Amino acid sequence: MNRPSRNASTRAFFLQAVLSFVLSLAALTVGIAYLPVDAWVRAFLAVGVFYAVTSTFTLAKCVRDRQEDEAAAVTFRTSN
């Protein structure tokens, strides 16, 4: 029986990805906070950033779920 190989990322890669995300989000937040514009403009940009971040998480979950479904379908076909 052939099982699809699973590409597992290392802990260091995962930590790097998390730190990169946190650093970029913090830098963007500080940038918006110190932007020399009215408060409503900063609020609009903050809402835009929040929307982009949540949409990115949703897209990543959908891509992951699709890949897992395809891998499960391949496993099911090869086991029958």
mmCIF file of all heavy atoms in Angstrom, residues 23-48:
data_model
loop_
_atom_site.group_PDB
_atom_site.id
_atom_site.type_symbol
_atom_site.label_atom_id
_atom_site.label_comp_id
_atom_site.label_asym_id
_atom_site.label_seq_id
_atom_site.Cartn_x
_atom_site.Cartn_y
_atom_site.Cartn_z
ATOM 1 N N LEU A 23 5.828 40.004 14.159
ATOM 2 C CA LEU A 23 6.651 41.191 13.916
ATOM 3 C C LEU A 23 6.032 42.090 12.855
ATOM 4 O O LEU A 23 5.970 43.313 13.029
ATOM 5 C CB LEU A 23 8.064 40.781 13.503
ATOM 6 C CG LEU A 23 9.038 41.918 13.251
ATOM 7 C CD1 LEU A 23 9.261 42.719 14.542
ATOM 8 C CD2 LEU A 23 10.352 41.384 12.730
ATOM 9 N N SER A 24 5.546 41.504 11.767
ATOM 10 C CA SER A 24 4.942 42.328 10.716
ATOM 11 C C SER A 24 3.664 42.996 11.189
ATOM 12 O O SER A 24 3.411 44.167 10.891
ATOM 13 C CB SER A 24 4.675 41.491 9.467
ATOM 14 O OG SER A 24 3.678 40.530 9.711
ATOM 15 N N LEU A 25 2.863 42.265 11.965
ATOM 16 C CA LEU A 25 1.629 42.849 12.486
ATOM 17 C C LEU A 25 1.935 43.958 13.491
ATOM 18 O O LEU A 25 1.278 45.011 13.480
ATOM 19 C CB LEU A 25 0.768 41.757 13.126
ATOM 20 C CG LEU A 25 -0.687 42.109 13.401
ATOM 21 C CD1 LEU A 25 -1.393 42.527 12.127
ATOM 22 C CD2 LEU A 25 -1.385 40.908 14.014
ATOM 23 N N ALA A 26 2.944 43.760 14.330
ATOM 24 C CA ALA A 26 3.327 44.791 15.295
ATOM 25 C C ALA A 26 3.867 46.027 14.588
ATOM 26 O O ALA A 26 3.519 47.159 14.951
ATOM 27 C CB ALA A 26 4.377 44.240 16.257
ATOM 28 N N ALA A 27 4.698 45.831 13.587
ATOM 29 C CA ALA A 27 5.244 46.976 12.844
ATOM 30 C C ALA A 27 4.135 47.756 12.146
ATOM 31 O O ALA A 27 4.134 48.998 12.149
ATOM 32 C CB ALA A 27 6.269 46.494 11.824
ATOM 33 N N LEU A 28 3.183 47.049 11.577
ATOM 34 C CA LEU A 28 2.064 47.721 10.923
ATOM 35 C C LEU A 28 1.203 48.475 11.921
ATOM 36 O O LEU A 28 0.780 49.605 11.670
ATOM 37 C CB LEU A 28 1.219 46.696 10.164
ATOM 38 C CG LEU A 28 0.140 47.236 9.258
ATOM 39 C CD1 LEU A 28 0.732 48.192 8.218
ATOM 40 C CD2 LEU A 28 -0.555 46.104 8.570
ATOM 41 N N THR A 29 0.979 47.884 13.078
ATOM 42 C CA THR A 29 0.194 48.541 14.120
ATOM 43 C C THR A 29 0.877 49.811 14.612
ATOM 44 O O THR A 29 0.232 50.855 14.755
ATOM 45 C CB THR A 29 -0.032 47.572 15.301
ATOM 46 O OG1 THR A 29 -0.697 46.401 14.803
ATOM 47 C CG2 THR A 29 -0.864 48.210 16.386
ATOM 48 N N VAL A 30 2.177 49.735 14.856
ATOM 49 C CA VAL A 30 2.926 50.923 15.289
ATOM 50 C C VAL A 30 2.909 51.983 14.181
ATOM 51 O O VAL A 30 2.726 53.175 14.453
ATOM 52 C CB VAL A 30 4.376 50.539 15.673
ATOM 53 C CG1 VAL A 30 5.240 51.772 15.870
ATOM 54 C CG2 VAL A 30 4.364 49.689 16.928
ATOM 55 N N GLY A 31 3.072 51.547 12.953
ATOM 56 C CA GLY A 31 3.031 52.488 11.834
ATOM 57 C C GLY A 31 1.699 53.209 11.735
ATOM 58 O O GLY A 31 1.651 54.428 11.510
ATOM 59 N N ILE A 32 0.618 52.488 11.907
ATOM 60 C CA ILE A 32 -0.711 53.113 11.858
ATOM 61 C C ILE A 32 -0.902 54.045 13.051
ATOM 62 O O ILE A 32 -1.439 55.142 12.923
ATOM 63 C CB ILE A 32 -1.819 52.040 11.804
ATOM 64 C CG1 ILE A 32 -1.808 51.345 10.443
ATOM 65 C CG2 ILE A 32 -3.193 52.647 12.075
ATOM 66 C CD1 ILE A 32 -2.757 50.170 10.342
ATOM 67 N N ALA A 33 -0.441 53.627 14.224
ATOM 68 C CA ALA A 33 -0.619 54.442 15.430
ATOM 69 C C ALA A 33 0.102 55.786 15.326
ATOM 70 O O ALA A 33 -0.405 56.804 15.802
ATOM 71 C CB ALA A 33 -0.127 53.672 16.654
ATOM 72 N N TYR A 34 1.278 55.791 14.716
ATOM 73 C CA TYR A 34 2.061 57.025 14.629
ATOM 74 C C TYR A 34 1.893 57.766 13.305
ATOM 75 O O TYR A 34 2.591 58.739 13.051
ATOM 76 C CB TYR A 34 3.539 56.722 14.870
ATOM 77 C CG TYR A 34 3.826 56.429 16.318
ATOM 78 C CD1 TYR A 34 4.009 55.124 16.755
ATOM 79 C CD2 TYR A 34 3.875 57.452 17.254
ATOM 80 C CE1 TYR A 34 4.255 54.845 18.094
ATOM 81 C CE2 TYR A 34 4.118 57.186 18.585
ATOM 82 C CZ TYR A 34 4.310 55.889 18.998
ATOM 83 O OH TYR A 34 4.545 55.618 20.329
ATOM 84 N N LEU A 35 0.970 57.339 12.485
ATOM 85 C CA LEU A 35 0.708 58.014 11.220
ATOM 86 C C LEU A 35 0.140 59.400 11.498
ATOM 87 O O LEU A 35 -0.782 59.551 12.309
ATOM 88 C CB LEU A 35 -0.295 57.181 10.415
ATOM 89 C CG LEU A 35 -0.388 57.407 8.932
ATOM 90 C CD1 LEU A 35 0.952 57.102 8.259
ATOM 91 C CD2 LEU A 35 -1.457 56.506 8.349
ATOM 92 N N PRO A 36 0.677 60.441 10.857
ATOM 93 C CA PRO A 36 0.212 61.802 11.154
ATOM 94 C C PRO A 36 -1.093 62.149 10.421
ATOM 95 O O PRO A 36 -1.125 63.012 9.537
ATOM 96 C CB PRO A 36 1.370 62.682 10.687
ATOM 97 C CG PRO A 36 1.990 61.902 9.586
ATOM 98 C CD PRO A 36 1.832 60.460 9.961
ATOM 99 N N VAL A 37 -2.162 61.446 10.782
ATOM 100 C CA VAL A 37 -3.477 61.703 10.188
ATOM 101 C C VAL A 37 -4.517 61.699 11.300
ATOM 102 O O VAL A 37 -4.221 61.393 12.452
ATOM 103 C CB VAL A 37 -3.834 60.637 9.121
ATOM 104 C CG1 VAL A 37 -2.919 60.733 7.918
ATOM 105 C CG2 VAL A 37 -3.817 59.241 9.692
ATOM 106 N N ASP A 38 -5.757 62.010 10.919
ATOM 107 C CA ASP A 38 -6.844 62.015 11.891
ATOM 108 C C ASP A 38 -7.117 60.610 12.419
ATOM 109 O O ASP A 38 -6.756 59.604 11.803
ATOM 110 C CB ASP A 38 -8.125 62.552 11.246
ATOM 111 C CG ASP A 38 -8.031 64.029 10.907
ATOM 112 O OD1 ASP A 38 -7.209 64.724 11.546
ATOM 113 O OD2 ASP A 38 -8.761 64.481 9.995
ATOM 114 N N ALA A 39 -7.791 60.564 13.553
ATOM 115 C CA ALA A 39 -8.081 59.278 14.200
ATOM 116 C C ALA A 39 -8.963 58.391 13.330
ATOM 117 O O ALA A 39 -8.789 57.169 13.310
ATOM 118 C CB ALA A 39 -8.748 59.518 15.552
ATOM 119 N N TRP A 40 -9.891 58.979 12.580
ATOM 120 C CA TRP A 40 -10.783 58.160 11.763
ATOM 121 C C TRP A 40 -10.015 57.471 10.637
ATOM 122 O O TRP A 40 -10.355 56.340 10.253
ATOM 123 C CB TRP A 40 -11.961 58.965 11.227
ATOM 124 C CG TRP A 40 -11.612 59.945 10.152
ATOM 125 C CD1 TRP A 40 -11.251 61.253 10.305
ATOM 126 C CD2 TRP A 40 -11.584 59.694 8.752
ATOM 127 N NE1 TRP A 40 -10.993 61.820 9.102
ATOM 128 C CE2 TRP A 40 -11.193 60.883 8.114
ATOM 129 C CE3 TRP A 40 -11.851 58.582 7.963
ATOM 130 C CZ2 TRP A 40 -11.060 60.999 6.737
ATOM 131 C CZ3 TRP A 40 -11.718 58.691 6.588
ATOM 132 C CH2 TRP A 40 -11.333 59.893 5.991
ATOM 133 N N VAL A 41 -8.977 58.097 10.136
ATOM 134 C CA VAL A 41 -8.160 57.477 9.097
ATOM 135 C C VAL A 41 -7.385 56.298 9.692
ATOM 136 O O VAL A 41 -7.303 55.226 9.088
ATOM 137 C CB VAL A 41 -7.202 58.505 8.452
ATOM 138 C CG1 VAL A 41 -6.267 57.830 7.471
ATOM 139 C CG2 VAL A 41 -7.980 59.622 7.774
ATOM 140 N N ARG A 42 -6.833 56.486 10.880
ATOM 141 C CA ARG A 42 -6.135 55.386 11.557
ATOM 142 C C ARG A 42 -7.098 54.240 11.844
ATOM 143 O O ARG A 42 -6.757 53.069 11.676
ATOM 144 C CB ARG A 42 -5.488 55.879 12.849
ATOM 145 C CG ARG A 42 -4.179 56.601 12.624
ATOM 146 C CD ARG A 42 -3.409 56.758 13.917
ATOM 147 N NE ARG A 42 -4.052 57.633 14.878
ATOM 148 C CZ ARG A 42 -3.914 58.952 14.895
ATOM 149 N NH1 ARG A 42 -3.139 59.540 14.026
ATOM 150 N NH2 ARG A 42 -4.541 59.673 15.792
ATOM 151 N N ALA A 43 -8.300 54.555 12.280
ATOM 152 C CA ALA A 43 -9.298 53.514 12.566
ATOM 153 C C ALA A 43 -9.663 52.752 11.289
ATOM 154 O O ALA A 43 -9.789 51.521 11.301
ATOM 155 C CB ALA A 43 -10.542 54.131 13.186
ATOM 156 N N PHE A 44 -9.809 53.478 10.186
ATOM 157 C CA PHE A 44 -10.126 52.836 8.912
ATOM 158 C C PHE A 44 -9.001 51.885 8.496
ATOM 159 O O PHE A 44 -9.254 50.751 8.081
ATOM 160 C CB PHE A 44 -10.353 53.896 7.831
ATOM 161 C CG PHE A 44 -10.633 53.318 6.476
ATOM 162 C CD1 PHE A 44 -11.889 52.843 6.170
ATOM 163 C CD2 PHE A 44 -9.639 53.250 5.518
ATOM 164 C CE1 PHE A 44 -12.149 52.293 4.924
ATOM 165 C CE2 PHE A 44 -9.880 52.711 4.271
ATOM 166 C CZ PHE A 44 -11.149 52.234 3.968
ATOM 167 N N LEU A 45 -7.770 52.324 8.621
ATOM 168 C CA LEU A 45 -6.638 51.469 8.283
ATOM 169 C C LEU A 45 -6.548 50.261 9.207
ATOM 170 O O LEU A 45 -6.240 49.151 8.767
ATOM 171 C CB LEU A 45 -5.338 52.275 8.335
ATOM 172 C CG LEU A 45 -5.166 53.328 7.241
ATOM 173 C CD1 LEU A 45 -3.926 54.165 7.511
ATOM 174 C CD2 LEU A 45 -5.103 52.685 5.874
ATOM 175 N N ALA A 46 -6.825 50.457 10.487
ATOM 176 C CA ALA A 46 -6.791 49.345 11.435
ATOM 177 C C ALA A 46 -7.856 48.303 11.099
ATOM 178 O O ALA A 46 -7.589 47.099 11.150
ATOM 179 C CB ALA A 46 -6.977 49.867 12.860
ATOM 180 N N VAL A 47 -9.047 48.755 10.734
ATOM 181 C CA VAL A 47 -10.102 47.821 10.345
ATOM 182 C C VAL A 47 -9.693 47.084 9.070
ATOM 183 O O VAL A 47 -9.926 45.874 8.937
ATOM 184 C CB VAL A 47 -11.449 48.560 10.165
ATOM 185 C CG1 VAL A 47 -12.475 47.683 9.490
ATOM 186 C CG2 VAL A 47 -11.965 49.035 11.503
ATOM 187 N N GLY A 48 -9.067 47.783 8.147
ATOM 188 C CA GLY A 48 -8.586 47.142 6.921
ATOM 189 C C GLY A 48 -7.545 46.077 7.206
ATOM 190 O O GLY A 48 -7.566 44.988 6.615
#
